[in-house]
Amino acid sequence: HVTVMTRLGEVQLKLGRSDGQLVTAQPEFESARALAEATGVSVREAMDAARAAADALLAREKGATP
C-alpha cells in the first residue's frame, strides 16, 4: 500500500507489481469511504479523486522507466 494526496486529502492505494514494475494502482475502498466522510463528499467523488491520483502515479512510474 501507498498513501497519496488527492484534491480532497490523503487516500491509500493498493499496488500491483510485475517483475518489479508497477502495473496497477487501485484505491482502497475503506480509505476512500473515510475520506468521503471526513470531507462531506460522496464516496463516488472520493473514489474518483483516488482513481485520478492512482492514474497519475501510474503515469509517473511509466515515464520513469528506461
Side-chain angles (χ1 to χ4, degrees):
H1 293 92
V2 65
T3 301
V4 295
M5 182 59 73
T6 73
R7 63 184 177 78
L8 300 172
E10 290 184 343
V11 69
Q12 286 192 335
L13 302 177
K14 294 181 277 192
L15 304 179
R17 294 187 182 272
S18 178
D19 295 326
Q21 298 220 340
L22 184 62
V23 293
T24 62
Q26 295 293 321
E28 281 283 355
F29 179 81
E30 284 302 317
S31 180
R33 186 200 55 73
L35 179 61
E37 186 175 314
T39 58
V41 301
S42 68
V43 173
R44 180 183 202 124
E45 189 173 345
M47 286 293 285
D48 287 347
R51 282 189 200 102
D55 290 346
L57 178 65
L58 286 170
R60 282 194 307 271
E61 284 284 322
K62 287 181 181 179
T65 57

